């Protein structure tokens, strides 16, 4: 009897997932727990392992399509049971659940079954859950921040669910806070002219989500940036001294570990940078959960090191290396990409002197690390060579004043330059 392969539940608030890529093809042998397909959700991209060993006999959902969690997307059986390479054009496989079709604007809508067609008109006019429109906690939080009534939004998700695409589109169209000259949204911007030789590709699922998250952050927070130059020469000396010790422990001692350690200590002394805004309230977070932005081939993801303040330099070195490696291998769990209270991003790894990062909502601050390199600097009226870098703090001026942000950065700078008290 074939073993059904289902869309997994990747977190409590996840209702659906998009199949980005089938790693195995119909007719190919697959081992139990071998990666079978790749999915993308509101929280994380991940490779999903096969639930059984055998042959991939049937694929019911094509790449780029979105289905509800627990929907059957494929079957594992024996070689003589191979059925076909994909679902019918209608988007409904015999005996299987309804799937969703990718629309030209990047949205997804459920492909109706005969029963769905009978009740479609009635269902579209009535909010689900006894008057409460179905939506995820993320969508409800966005609605609360922007004073949006979710029941007034037509949901395009599974069963009329209001998706993040729906709420962001509602906000970006100016339905909440109209202005004389509203900024165009990602989808509403004037279309560029196309040349005959131009190559056109659809935005990936990850790229769409990054775009939406960035637009939401710019709509939400009053972004301001402060840039500080920091002397990393003392830390460079410490790295050389401890390099062999850390390599024996199986980890590379990087500048990022030092920065993370100083940051979490500074966040204890400046708790407003580790807070968030909830309506008219300020939520001061007890835990310090440090997000580390990781660049991928097709986008960016921010895994979170929970309770980073409880780790020493070695522990942070291991944690940073671990989440970065698993992020690139698409082996992060949904819990590891949410709950962050402060984020570090490192454009300097590519040579940037500094950047002006966008705040990772619902946080109120983010630190950008510029390239760390040896430069000529003035020291006691003389020119010397030191290992220097620019650190940029992006912060939400709704909550954090410039003086508070600069005090925080001065604290970070002083402790980085005096990481070893003997150097000061």
């Amino acid at each position: 009897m074939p073993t059904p392969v289902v869309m997994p539940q990747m977190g409590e608030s996840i209702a659906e997932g998009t199949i980005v890529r089938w790693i195995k093809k119909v007719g190919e042998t697959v081992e139990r727990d071998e990666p079978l397909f790749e999915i993308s959700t509101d929280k994380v991209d991940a490779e999903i392992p096969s639930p059984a060993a055998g042959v991939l006999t049937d694929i019911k959902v094509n790449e780029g399509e979105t289905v509800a969690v627990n929907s059957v997307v494929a079957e594992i059986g024996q070689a003589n049971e191979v059925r076909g390479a994909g679902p019918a054009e209608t988007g409904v496989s015999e005996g299987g659940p309804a799937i969703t079709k990718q629309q030209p604007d990047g949205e997804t809508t459920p492909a109706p079954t005969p029963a769905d067609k009978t009740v479609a008109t009635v269902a579209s006019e009535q909010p689900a859950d006894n008057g409460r429109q179905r939506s995820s906690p993320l969508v409800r939080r966005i609605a609360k921040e922007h004073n949006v009534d979710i029941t007034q939004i037509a949901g395009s998700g599974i069963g009329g669910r209001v998706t993040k695409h729906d709420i962001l589109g509602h906000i970006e169209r100016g339905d909440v806070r109209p202005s004389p000259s509203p900024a165009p949204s990602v989808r509403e911007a004037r279309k560029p002219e196309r040349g005959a030789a131009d190559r056109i590709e659809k935005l990936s699922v990850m790229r769409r989500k990054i775009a939406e998250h960035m637009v939401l952050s710019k709509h939400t927070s009053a972004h301001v940036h402060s840039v500080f130059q920091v002397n990393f020469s003392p830390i460079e000396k410490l790295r050389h001294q401890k390099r062999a010790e850390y390599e024996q422990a199986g980890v590379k001692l990087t500048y990022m570990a030092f920065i993370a350690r100083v940051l979490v200590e500074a966040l204890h002394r400046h708790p407003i940078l580790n807070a968030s805004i909830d309506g008219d309230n300020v939520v001061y977070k007890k835990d310090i959960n440090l997000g580390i932005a990781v660049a991928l081939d097709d986008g960016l993801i921010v895994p979170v090191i929970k309770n980073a303040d409880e780790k020493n330099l070695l522990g942070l070195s291991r944690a940073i290396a671990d989440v970065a490696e698993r992020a690139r291998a698409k082996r992060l769990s949904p819990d590891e990409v949410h709950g962050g209270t402060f984020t570090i991003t490192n454009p300097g790894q590519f040579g940037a002197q500094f950047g002006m990062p966008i705040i990772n909502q619902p946080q109120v601050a983010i630190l950008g690390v510029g390239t760390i390199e040896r430069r000529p600097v003035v020291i006691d009226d003389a020119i010397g060579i030191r290992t220097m870098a620019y650190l940029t703090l992006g912060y939400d001026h709704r909550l954090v004043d410039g003086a508070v942000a600069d005090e925080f950065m001065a604290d970070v700078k002083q402790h980085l330059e005096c990481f070893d008290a003997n150097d000061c």
Side-chain angles (χ1 to χ4, degrees):
M1 181 176 178
T3 300
V5 180
V6 301
M7 176 64 70
Q9 176 84 46
M10 298 292 284
E12 291 184 5
S13 63
I14 303 300
E16 58 192 23
T18 300
I19 293 189
V20 177
R21 177 172 65 100
W22 281 99
I23 299 171
K24 292 289 186 177
K25 295 180 173 59
V26 170
E28 291 187 346
T29 301
V30 60
E31 298 296 329
R32 180 181 176 86
D33 295 329
E34 183 180 4
L36 184 60
F37 61 100
E38 183 180 333
I39 68 168
S40 182
T41 72
D42 280 347
K43 297 292 186 185
V44 68
D45 288 2
E47 291 182 350
I48 306 305
S50 173
V55 174
L56 181 58
T57 58
D58 191 17
I59 290 178
K60 298 179 180 294
V61 180
N62 289 325
E63 294 177 355
E65 294 178 347
T66 302
V67 294
V69 298
N70 297 323
S71 298
V72 177
V73 299
E75 290 182 349
I76 303 292
Q78 303 302 316
N80 59 359
E81 297 174 333
V82 174
R83 299 179 187 177
E89 289 299 321
T90 60
V92 182
S93 57
E94 183 178 352
I99 64 174
T100 61
K101 288 292 183 181
Q102 195 76 21
Q103 301 300 315
D105 64 354
E107 294 289 354
T108 56
T109 53
T113 62
D116 291 335
K117 292 177 181 178
T118 305
V119 299
T121 304
V122 176
S124 65
E125 295 175 355
Q126 296 180 349
D129 299 337
N130 297 324
R132 180 185 180 187
Q133 187 77 315
R134 295 176 61 195
S135 59
S136 70
L138 172 63
V139 169
R140 292 195 291 275
R141 178 177 63 76
I142 295 171
K144 182 178 179 181
E145 289 177 353
H146 293 272
N147 297 317
V148 174
D149 182 359
I150 295 180
T151 62
Q152 301 304 310
I153 302 176
S156 64
I158 302 296
R161 188 182 187 88
V162 176
T163 69
K164 187 168 65 174
H165 303 282
D166 300 329
I167 186 75
L168 290 176
H170 186 80
I171 293 169
E172 291 164 4
R173 285 191 297 272
D175 295 342
V176 182
R177 293 182 295 181
S179 60
S181 54
S185 71
V186 173
R187 294 191 181 92
E188 293 171 349
R190 186 171 62 86
K191 291 185 178 181
E193 295 181 0
R194 296 177 179 177
D198 292 348
R199 181 165 56 91
I200 300 171
E201 293 182 357
K202 251 188 126 50
L203 280 175
S204 67
V205 175
M206 175 177 282
R207 195 73 260 162
R208 282 205 316 271
K209 290 176 181 176
I210 291 173
E212 290 160 358
H213 196 60
M214 295 301 98
V215 169
L216 169 66
S217 185
K218 295 294 280 188
H219 273 292
T220 302
S221 295
H223 281 69
V224 184
H225 296 84
S226 290
V227 182
F228 276 61
Q229 185 171 218
V230 177
N231 181 2
F232 277 86
S233 298
I235 287 179
E236 181 184 33
K237 183 171 69 174
L238 276 174
R239 288 182 68 229
H240 283 294
Q241 291 173 354
K242 296 179 176 290
R243 178 174 295 168
E245 174 187 341
Y246 275 66
E247 286 178 352
Q248 287 180 355
V251 67
K252 184 178 179 181
L253 183 56
T254 65
Y255 288 109
M256 187 62 73
F258 286 94
I259 295 170
R261 183 60 203 161
V262 167
L263 268 178
V264 296
E265 292 174 348
L267 288 171
H268 274 300
R269 295 187 290 271
H270 306 266
I272 198 168
L273 274 301
N274 196 54
S276 63
I277 297 176
D278 182 12
D280 293 331
N281 300 317
V282 179
V283 181
Y284 291 90
K285 304 291 187 178
K286 176 180 178 293
D287 297 328
I288 296 179
N289 300 330
L290 200 60
I292 306 293
V294 178
L296 307 177
D297 290 339
D298 55 351
L300 182 79
I301 195 167
V302 185
V304 177
I305 299 173
K306 302 292 177 66
N307 302 116
D309 53 322
E310 298 177 1
K311 300 182 184 296
N312 59 17
L313 191 61
L314 177 60
L316 283 170
S317 297
R318 284 176 170 159
I320 292 171
D322 173 59
V323 295
E325 178 184 351
R326 290 190 294 111
R328 295 185 181 105
K330 301 183 184 299
R331 289 190 287 108
L332 293 171
S333 69
D335 185 58
E336 291 178 299
V337 293
H338 73 85
T341 59
F342 190 99
T343 295
I344 306 176
T345 184
N346 184 20
Q349 65 183 310
F350 303 109
Q353 294 295 304
F354 54 84
M356 298 294 171
I358 296 175
I359 297 165
N360 189 12
Q361 297 297 323
Q363 299 165 29
V364 297
I366 182 171
L367 186 79
V369 180
T371 189
I372 301 174
E373 61 184 5
R374 293 179 66 77
R375 299 176 191 150
V377 294
V378 177
I379 305 169
D380 298 329
D381 294 330
I383 301 296
I385 303 298
R386 295 291 185 271
T387 301
M388 308 293 292
Y390 293 105
L391 300 184
T392 303
L393 181 72
Y395 57 95
D396 189 343
H397 212 339
R398 295 180 303 163
L399 180 62
V400 183
D401 290 332
V404 174
D406 290 345
E407 286 174 0
F408 172 78
M409 286 301 293
D411 189 5
V412 170
K413 172 183 170 73
Q414 194 268 333
H415 281 82
L416 283 171
E417 295 181 339
C418 298
F419 196 91
D420 185 347
N422 295 327
D423 292 320
C424 297

